[in-house]
Amino acid sequence: MMDAALTLPSATAAAAADWDRLAKKARIRRRATTTLLYSVLVLGSLPIVVPYLWLFTVSISGRTGATTVVLWRTLAILMPALLVWSVLRVGVEDSRRLRWCELVLGAVTIAALAFVTGPYLHIQNWRFLWNANIADTLKGAGGVGSTYPSVWTAFGNSLLLAFMQMALVVSVSTLCGYYLSRFDFPGRASALKGLLVLHAFPAMTLIIPIFLLMYWVGLLDTLTGVILVVVALELPFAIFVMKGFFDAVPWDIEMSAMTDGASRRQAFYMVVLPQVKAGMLAVGVFAFLRGWEEYVFVRTLLFQKSNWTMSLYLFWMSEDVMGTDYAMVSAIGVLYVLPSIILYTTCQKYLTQMSVGGIKG
């Protein structure tokens, strides 16, 4: 009995040591795998990130040889910083300590970037921000700026086009998606097939008919005409997506609301609509981005320079045969992509839920 009592604690301690050793190996293996995955993702994102980084670098350094120097020095600092950040995300489990480590890493990275690239940077290419008259700014660069309107006019036109498209597409596709999902009527299956067929038509084949239609109805060379055209082209896909979200909402919860005394309209607004919020946001974001980057119909249907959008504005500036100021074009290009990046980063979680359905929202 005495021998068994002596060997039992030692066996338990050995088993605990084995478990600790296995847990340590598993933790090291998990950290190594995650670090390798982060490293591969960082390296794989280079073809996507470098063009935008080059655009921003040119906008703050000009067209001299300093652009290449700034770009390579920036990559030489950012890449190790991202790898260190990936190691910190895996190795530091305490969230408060991780936050402090990230703040220190960010401060060191910014200080290093400022030290190695600061002597080559200037903001002269961004002078259109405080001088709305692009003609004066381009005259200073030797261009023919007198033929261009203000960049802020084009920016405002793009915002108006994108926001109006987003509002109309979300409103119409939500109502049509709910109607197609909840109501059974003759020709419902044909309507769904028609949506797919309409979305399959290449938009380029419709340019001439749409041009003639806009001319006959008096909407040629107006932003209203372009908004109606891009909304009509975007609606089939948006309606199909919203129908899928409404299909994912169980009919029982809507029926329960009406059984408790709510009208059909109240059940729609108070019970069903919150369930498809993610779908509405996703459709709205895609509609905004589609309207913001629209070029083909803007180029075809708009003639007056006061109606130009940012995409058309950038095209004409880069085609200036009298001497293109690429540095300023890059600065305007950064301004052009900024709303898309802000909108996408703030609504990213809703975009990833598009394939999940309405209940998840």
Side-chain angles (χ1 to χ4, degrees):
M1 291 294 292
M2 184 173 292
D3 293 341
L6 291 174
T7 55
L8 184 59
S10 60
T12 305
D18 291 339
W19 279 109
D20 291 340
R21 188 166 54 255
L22 291 175
K24 186 177 180 181
K25 286 184 178 179
R27 189 163 54 249
I28 293 174
R29 191 181 301 114
R30 179 175 60 84
R31 289 178 178 177
T33 305
T34 309
T35 303
L36 179 62
L37 178 62
Y38 275 121
S39 303
V40 171
L41 290 176
V42 168
L43 293 176
S45 63
L46 278 178
I48 302 173
V49 175
V50 167
Y52 291 100
L53 189 59
W54 182 88
L55 184 73
F56 180 71
T57 303
V58 173
S59 70
I60 58 177
S61 62
R63 285 187 296 166
T64 62
T67 299
T68 306
V69 175
V70 171
L71 182 61
W72 282 114
R73 291 188 177 187
T74 302
L75 287 174
I77 293 176
L78 284 183
M79 296 302 294
L82 287 174
L83 293 177
V84 172
W85 174 77
S86 64
V87 173
L88 288 176
R89 297 286 295 183
V90 178
V92 181
E93 296 181 351
D94 185 11
S95 59
R96 187 175 179 182
R97 187 181 174 190
L98 175 63
R99 189 161 51 249
W100 277 108
C101 291
E102 289 178 339
L103 287 176
V104 172
L105 177 63
V108 172
T109 304
I110 293 174
L113 284 174
F115 178 75
V116 300
T117 63
Y120 303 98
L121 305 182
H122 58 80
I123 57 173
Q124 289 301 314
N125 299 321
W126 292 82
R127 55 189 180 274
F128 60 87
L129 291 178
W130 58 86
N131 186 359
N133 187 1
I134 197 72
D136 293 341
T137 59
L138 287 185
K139 281 177 180 176
V144 289
S146 58
T147 61
Y148 291 99
S150 168
V151 64
W152 296 115
T153 302
F155 193 82
N157 291 336
S158 289
L159 281 180
L160 178 63
L161 172 62
F163 274 115
M164 288 302 297
Q165 178 172 355
M166 179 177 66
L168 290 175
V169 167
V170 171
S171 302
V172 177
S173 64
T174 301
L175 295 177
C176 292
Y178 178 76
Y179 189 76
L180 289 171
S181 175
R182 289 292 192 263
F183 294 91
D184 190 12
F185 56 90
R188 177 170 173 270
S190 301
L192 293 174
K193 294 178 182 177
L195 290 177
L196 294 177
V197 172
L198 286 175
H199 185 67
F201 274 114
M204 294 293 291
T205 61
L206 303 175
I207 288 181
I208 294 178
I210 287 176
F211 184 91
L212 296 176
L213 179 63
M214 291 294 108
Y215 173 75
W216 288 334
V217 299
L219 292 177
L220 191 63
D221 198 18
T222 62
L223 276 176
T224 303
V226 177
I227 291 171
L228 293 178
V229 169
V230 292
V231 166
L233 294 174
E234 190 72 14
L235 270 178
F237 179 71
I239 293 173
F240 200 78
V241 170
M242 288 308 302
K243 179 188 175 299
F245 273 89
F246 282 115
D247 288 341
V249 179
W251 165 248
D252 294 342
I253 62 172
E254 189 175 356
M255 178 60 72
S256 299
M258 289 189 289
T259 304
D260 292 339
S263 63
R264 187 65 182 265
R265 179 179 300 178
Q266 290 173 328
F268 171 72
Y269 284 109
M270 301 175 66
V271 177
V272 180
L273 211 54
Q275 301 293 330
V276 298
K277 183 178 63 178
M280 295 173 64
L281 285 172
V283 168
V285 169
F286 280 116
F288 181 91
L289 297 178
R290 176 77 172 80
W292 182 259
E293 67 183 12
E294 173 59 36
Y295 175 75
V296 174
F297 290 100
V298 167
R299 176 74 176 85
T300 307
L301 301 178
L302 296 180
F303 309 116
Q304 296 183 24
K305 294 173 181 176
S306 59
N307 291 330
W308 280 3
T309 60
M310 287 296 289
S311 56
L312 198 55
Y313 195 89
L314 276 173
F315 170 77
W316 284 112
M317 283 200 68
S318 59
E319 289 290 318
D320 187 359
V321 296
M322 299 299 292
T324 302
D325 187 348
Y326 288 111
M328 179 173 285
V329 172
S330 299
I332 297 176
V334 173
L335 178 67
Y336 179 46
V337 302
L338 204 56
S340 300
I341 295 175
I342 294 174
L343 186 65
Y344 183 80
T345 52
T346 54
C347 300
Q348 185 181 9
K349 66 176 182 178
Y350 299 106
L351 300 179
T352 57
Q353 292 179 355
M354 279 196 69
S355 61
V356 176
I359 293 299
K360 277 290 186 183

